[in-house]
Short mmCIF file of all heavy atoms in Angstrom, two decimals:
data_model
loop_
_atom_site.label_atom_id
_atom_site.label_comp_id
_atom_site.label_asym_id
_atom_site.label_seq_id
_atom_site.Cartn_x
_atom_site.Cartn_y
_atom_site.Cartn_z
N ALA A 758 0.77 31.33 -49.80
CA ALA A 758 0.55 29.92 -49.54
C ALA A 758 -0.72 29.49 -50.25
O ALA A 758 -0.78 28.33 -50.74
CB ALA A 758 0.52 29.65 -48.11
N TYR A 759 -1.71 30.29 -50.27
CA TYR A 759 -3.01 29.89 -50.79
C TYR A 759 -2.86 29.75 -52.35
O TYR A 759 -3.30 28.85 -52.86
CB TYR A 759 -4.10 30.87 -50.45
CG TYR A 759 -5.47 30.48 -51.06
CD1 TYR A 759 -6.26 29.50 -50.53
CD2 TYR A 759 -5.87 31.10 -52.31
CE1 TYR A 759 -7.46 29.15 -51.13
CE2 TYR A 759 -7.05 30.70 -52.91
CZ TYR A 759 -7.81 29.69 -52.30
OH TYR A 759 -9.00 29.31 -52.93
N VAL A 760 -2.30 30.81 -53.03
CA VAL A 760 -2.24 30.85 -54.43
C VAL A 760 -1.38 29.69 -54.89
O VAL A 760 -1.63 29.09 -55.95
CB VAL A 760 -1.75 32.16 -54.94
CG1 VAL A 760 -0.33 32.45 -54.74
CG2 VAL A 760 -2.18 32.39 -56.46
N SER A 761 -0.33 29.31 -54.15
CA SER A 761 0.59 28.27 -54.56
C SER A 761 -0.15 26.94 -54.45
O SER A 761 0.09 25.97 -55.21
CB SER A 761 1.76 28.20 -53.70
OG SER A 761 2.59 29.32 -53.88
N ALA A 762 -1.22 26.84 -53.62
CA ALA A 762 -1.85 25.59 -53.48
C ALA A 762 -2.99 25.43 -54.59
O ALA A 762 -3.28 24.26 -54.96
CB ALA A 762 -2.65 25.57 -52.12
N ILE A 763 -3.46 26.49 -55.12
CA ILE A 763 -4.54 26.28 -56.08
C ILE A 763 -4.11 26.43 -57.53
O ILE A 763 -4.78 26.13 -58.49
CB ILE A 763 -5.66 27.43 -55.88
CG1 ILE A 763 -5.05 28.87 -56.12
CG2 ILE A 763 -6.28 27.34 -54.50
CD1 ILE A 763 -6.19 29.90 -56.04
N ALA A 764 -2.79 26.74 -57.77
CA ALA A 764 -2.30 26.90 -59.18
C ALA A 764 -0.82 26.62 -59.19
O ALA A 764 -0.07 26.96 -58.19
CB ALA A 764 -2.63 28.18 -59.74
N PRO A 765 -0.31 26.00 -60.29
CA PRO A 765 1.12 25.80 -60.36
C PRO A 765 1.87 27.16 -60.35
O PRO A 765 1.35 28.17 -60.81
CB PRO A 765 1.29 25.24 -61.74
CG PRO A 765 -0.08 24.65 -62.09
CD PRO A 765 -1.02 25.57 -61.40
N VAL A 766 3.04 27.13 -59.73
CA VAL A 766 3.87 28.34 -59.68
C VAL A 766 4.37 28.65 -61.08
O VAL A 766 4.91 27.86 -61.79
CB VAL A 766 5.06 28.09 -58.70
CG1 VAL A 766 5.97 29.30 -58.76
CG2 VAL A 766 4.57 27.87 -57.32
N ASP A 767 4.21 29.93 -61.44
CA ASP A 767 4.81 30.47 -62.62
C ASP A 767 5.99 31.35 -62.37
O ASP A 767 5.84 32.45 -61.96
CB ASP A 767 3.71 31.34 -63.45
CG ASP A 767 4.15 31.81 -64.79
OD1 ASP A 767 5.34 31.67 -65.07
OD2 ASP A 767 3.29 32.17 -65.51
N PRO A 768 7.14 30.83 -62.46
CA PRO A 768 8.36 31.58 -62.03
C PRO A 768 8.62 32.74 -62.86
O PRO A 768 9.48 33.56 -62.45
CB PRO A 768 9.59 30.49 -62.22
CG PRO A 768 9.06 29.58 -63.14
CD PRO A 768 7.54 29.52 -63.05
N SER A 769 7.94 32.93 -64.05
CA SER A 769 8.28 34.13 -64.85
C SER A 769 7.50 35.33 -64.54
O SER A 769 7.59 36.38 -65.05
CB SER A 769 7.95 33.78 -66.31
OG SER A 769 6.63 33.60 -66.51
N VAL A 770 6.65 35.16 -63.42
CA VAL A 770 5.76 36.27 -63.04
C VAL A 770 5.57 36.30 -61.59
O VAL A 770 5.56 35.27 -60.91
CB VAL A 770 4.35 36.24 -63.81
CG1 VAL A 770 3.60 34.99 -63.40
CG2 VAL A 770 3.49 37.43 -63.47
N GLU A 771 5.54 37.51 -61.02
CA GLU A 771 5.24 37.61 -59.55
C GLU A 771 3.82 37.21 -59.30
O GLU A 771 2.90 37.60 -59.92
CB GLU A 771 5.44 39.03 -59.18
CG GLU A 771 5.07 39.39 -57.72
CD GLU A 771 5.22 40.83 -57.38
OE1 GLU A 771 5.61 41.64 -58.28
OE2 GLU A 771 4.79 41.20 -56.16
N ARG A 772 3.68 36.28 -58.43
CA ARG A 772 2.29 35.78 -58.16
C ARG A 772 1.50 36.79 -57.30
O ARG A 772 1.91 37.41 -56.46
CB ARG A 772 2.35 34.44 -57.29
CG ARG A 772 3.13 33.34 -57.89
CD ARG A 772 2.68 33.00 -59.38
NE ARG A 772 1.25 32.67 -59.42
CZ ARG A 772 0.80 31.49 -59.36
NH1 ARG A 772 1.60 30.48 -59.23
NH2 ARG A 772 -0.51 31.24 -59.48
N ARG A 773 0.30 36.93 -57.87
CA ARG A 773 -0.69 37.90 -57.21
C ARG A 773 -2.05 37.17 -57.09
O ARG A 773 -2.48 36.46 -57.98
CB ARG A 773 -0.86 39.17 -58.00
CG ARG A 773 0.45 39.92 -58.11
CD ARG A 773 0.18 41.24 -59.06
NE ARG A 773 -0.66 42.09 -58.35
CZ ARG A 773 -1.10 43.30 -58.85
NH1 ARG A 773 -0.61 43.65 -60.05
NH2 ARG A 773 -1.95 44.06 -58.16
N LEU A 774 -2.63 37.25 -55.89
CA LEU A 774 -4.00 36.71 -55.75
C LEU A 774 -5.04 37.58 -56.27
O LEU A 774 -5.69 38.21 -55.42
CB LEU A 774 -4.12 36.22 -54.30
CG LEU A 774 -5.33 35.29 -54.01
CD1 LEU A 774 -5.16 33.97 -54.80
CD2 LEU A 774 -5.53 35.06 -52.57
N ASP A 775 -5.07 37.83 -57.46
CA ASP A 775 -6.05 38.74 -58.12
C ASP A 775 -7.49 38.10 -58.03
O ASP A 775 -7.64 36.91 -58.34
CB ASP A 775 -5.74 39.10 -59.49
CG ASP A 775 -6.68 40.07 -60.13
OD1 ASP A 775 -6.53 41.29 -59.95
OD2 ASP A 775 -7.65 39.61 -60.75
N PRO A 776 -8.51 38.79 -57.60
CA PRO A 776 -9.82 38.20 -57.46
C PRO A 776 -10.37 37.69 -58.76
O PRO A 776 -10.99 36.58 -58.79
CB PRO A 776 -10.69 39.40 -56.98
CG PRO A 776 -9.72 40.30 -56.28
CD PRO A 776 -8.50 40.19 -57.07
N ARG A 777 -9.92 38.18 -59.94
CA ARG A 777 -10.48 37.62 -61.14
C ARG A 777 -9.88 36.28 -61.41
O ARG A 777 -10.56 35.28 -61.87
CB ARG A 777 -10.12 38.62 -62.29
CG ARG A 777 -10.89 39.91 -62.23
CD ARG A 777 -10.42 40.82 -63.32
NE ARG A 777 -9.10 41.26 -63.14
CZ ARG A 777 -8.40 42.02 -64.02
NH1 ARG A 777 -9.02 42.46 -65.10
NH2 ARG A 777 -7.17 42.42 -63.69
N LEU A 778 -8.60 36.13 -61.13
CA LEU A 778 -7.92 34.83 -61.22
C LEU A 778 -8.51 33.82 -60.19
O LEU A 778 -8.69 32.65 -60.58
CB LEU A 778 -6.38 34.87 -61.07
CG LEU A 778 -5.64 35.43 -62.21
CD1 LEU A 778 -4.17 35.61 -61.90
CD2 LEU A 778 -5.84 34.76 -63.53
N VAL A 779 -8.74 34.34 -58.99
CA VAL A 779 -9.29 33.38 -57.95
C VAL A 779 -10.65 32.82 -58.50
O VAL A 779 -11.02 31.65 -58.40
CB VAL A 779 -9.59 34.17 -56.68
CG1 VAL A 779 -10.46 33.31 -55.68
CG2 VAL A 779 -8.21 34.43 -56.03
N PHE A 780 -11.48 33.76 -59.11
CA PHE A 780 -12.79 33.34 -59.62
C PHE A 780 -12.56 32.25 -60.76
O PHE A 780 -13.29 31.22 -60.72
CB PHE A 780 -13.52 34.46 -60.22
CG PHE A 780 -14.86 34.17 -60.79
CD1 PHE A 780 -16.04 33.95 -60.07
CD2 PHE A 780 -14.90 33.92 -62.22
CE1 PHE A 780 -17.16 33.60 -60.68
CE2 PHE A 780 -16.15 33.53 -62.78
CZ PHE A 780 -17.29 33.40 -62.04
N LEU A 781 -11.56 32.42 -61.58
CA LEU A 781 -11.44 31.49 -62.65
C LEU A 781 -10.86 30.16 -62.20
O LEU A 781 -11.17 29.06 -62.68
CB LEU A 781 -10.45 32.12 -63.65
CG LEU A 781 -11.00 33.28 -64.43
CD1 LEU A 781 -9.98 33.92 -65.37
CD2 LEU A 781 -12.28 32.89 -65.24
N TYR A 782 -9.89 30.27 -61.19
CA TYR A 782 -9.35 28.95 -60.55
C TYR A 782 -10.45 28.16 -59.95
O TYR A 782 -10.60 26.94 -60.20
CB TYR A 782 -8.29 29.26 -59.63
CG TYR A 782 -7.00 29.87 -60.08
CD1 TYR A 782 -6.23 30.80 -59.36
CD2 TYR A 782 -6.52 29.55 -61.34
CE1 TYR A 782 -5.06 31.23 -59.82
CE2 TYR A 782 -5.42 30.13 -61.83
CZ TYR A 782 -4.62 30.95 -61.07
OH TYR A 782 -3.41 31.51 -61.57
N ARG A 783 -11.23 28.88 -59.15
CA ARG A 783 -12.35 28.21 -58.50
C ARG A 783 -13.46 27.70 -59.41
O ARG A 783 -14.09 26.69 -59.20
CB ARG A 783 -12.98 29.03 -57.32
CG ARG A 783 -11.92 29.19 -56.20
CD ARG A 783 -12.45 30.28 -55.19
NE ARG A 783 -13.77 29.83 -54.69
CZ ARG A 783 -13.86 28.97 -53.77
NH1 ARG A 783 -12.90 28.23 -53.33
NH2 ARG A 783 -15.18 28.59 -53.29
N GLY A 784 -13.62 28.46 -60.53
CA GLY A 784 -14.56 28.09 -61.49
C GLY A 784 -14.13 26.78 -62.17
O GLY A 784 -15.02 25.86 -62.47
N HIS A 785 -12.90 26.66 -62.48
CA HIS A 785 -12.34 25.37 -63.13
C HIS A 785 -12.47 24.29 -62.14
O HIS A 785 -12.79 23.10 -62.48
CB HIS A 785 -10.92 25.53 -63.54
CG HIS A 785 -10.33 24.40 -64.23
ND1 HIS A 785 -10.67 23.92 -65.42
CD2 HIS A 785 -9.41 23.47 -63.76
CE1 HIS A 785 -10.00 22.86 -65.73
NE2 HIS A 785 -9.24 22.55 -64.76
N ASP A 786 -12.22 24.56 -60.83
CA ASP A 786 -12.30 23.50 -59.84
C ASP A 786 -13.70 22.95 -59.74
O ASP A 786 -13.98 21.76 -59.54
CB ASP A 786 -11.89 24.06 -58.46
CG ASP A 786 -11.69 23.04 -57.42
OD1 ASP A 786 -10.97 22.05 -57.55
OD2 ASP A 786 -12.51 23.11 -56.35
#
Side-chain angles (χ1 to χ4, degrees):
Y759 179 81
V760 75
S761 296
I763 64 173
V766 173
D767 184 347
S769 70
V770 62
E771 178 186 354
R772 300 310 302 269
R773 300 178 63 180
L774 193 62
D775 182 82
R777 291 175 296 175
L778 283 178
V779 168
F780 176 84
L781 294 175
Y782 292 149
R783 291 175 56 75
H785 181 73
D786 188 60

